[in-house]
Amino acid sequence: MILIDGKKAAAELRAELKEEVAELKSKHNKVPGLTVILIGDLTPSQIYVRNKEKSANEVGLKSEVIKYPDSIEEKTVLEKIQELNSDETVSGILVQLPLPKHIDKQKVIEAIDPSKDVDGFHPMNVGNLSSGYESSIPCTPLGCYLLIKKIEPNLSGKKAVVVGRSNLNGKPMTQLLLKENCTVTITHSKTKDLKAECLEADIIVAAVGIPELVRGDWVKKDAIVIDVGINKTDNGIVGDVHFDEVSKNAKALTPVPGGVGPMTIACLLKNTIDCFKRSQI
Ligand code: NAP
């Protein structure tokens, strides 16, 4: 079984991006800029944002974090986004989710200029991705896609099962696999027989949020299994895939932690650089 090392893949991607940033700097005399807006003091969000800032600095991006207290008015956030939209030094804008209840998430997402939407959540980018046009692609599914391609460069005709249909993970993942000519089944909480669906799959991407949902006897021999889940349990952090069982059947499997997670941040940097490049054309 191939243990898909997301840490190593992310480090390789960051090294490539660092070179690319240096080339862009010498060509344009400026570097791509990432601005993250962090609202409130939720510890996981603070950790994510700190890691994003650290990684952005490591590859040579200009990075900025704007912090607001929980009580900040929605209007102030929307005005800041407008300001960042027209700031030429800002290539990518990310508003760290979740947001406090009084702030409308969709309004915030839609306020971001689609050409600076490094999360790929703006409806314009969602539509472009599903139409097969160039777009920002949500970072986690993009990371999953890059890991799958490392194991199997030609996905044409493969059967893929995506478990979970969130806008963040399942839906964009489905689009990426479709684009590669996979035959994709997207499953969710109302799917009748999830085990039977998974048993058909050459590729399984599990993005559910249920600890160890995908069991060893759900996975056909030689399947590639990508585990997006991050679940806190009494036994520590586990994924949506039962690692010990599935590793006996699968051809390749991502661990949790150390699989998809590190790729998510590396893909955010990639998206920022891609936004910058598109803005220079
Ligand atoms: P989400 O928005 O809660 O969506 C979960 C999806 O799973 C929904 O579509 C739901 O179906 C489906 N589902 C629930 N129970 C199911 C069942 N028994 N069988 C089949 N499908 C079922 O979750 P998310 O934001 O996509 O996150 C999923 C997991 O990924 C979480 O553990 C999260 O922490 C993790 N995550 C990891 C990263 C990373 O960087 N590695 C990034 C983001 C999220 P319905 O639509 O029918 O409700």
Side-chain angles (χ1 to χ4, degrees), residues 85 106-138 167 172 175 179 275 278:
N85 283 343
Q106 200 54 27
K107 244 193 202 172
V108 165
I109 289 173
E110 291 183 24
I112 298 172
D113 181 332
S115 69
K116 298 190 177 190
D117 167 35
V118 279
D119 257 339
F121 295 160
H122 191 287
M124 183 93 88
N125 282 316
V126 175
N128 280 341
L129 177 62
S130 65
S131 304
Y133 302 140
E134 191 167 61
S135 66
S136 279
I137 298 167
N167 291 338
Q175 297 299 343
K179 226 174 160 180
C275 285
R278 287 196 285 268

Side-chain angles (χ1 to χ4, degrees), residues 48 139-141 144 162-171 186-191 194 206-211 213 218 227-232 238-240 256 259-265:
Y48 290 142
C139 304
T140 302
C144 296
V162 177
V163 190
R165 57 174 163 182
S166 69
N167 291 338
L168 181 70
N169 290 308
K171 284 181 192 154
I186 182 160
T187 62
H188 45 77
S189 66
K190 308 292 183 293
T191 296
L194 188 58
V208 192
I210 299 181
L213 176 73
W218 293 24
D227 189 351
V228 179
I230 302 176
N231 307 297
K232 262 193 194 160
V238 300
D240 292 340
V256 176
V260 172
M263 283 300 278
T264 297
I265 294 187

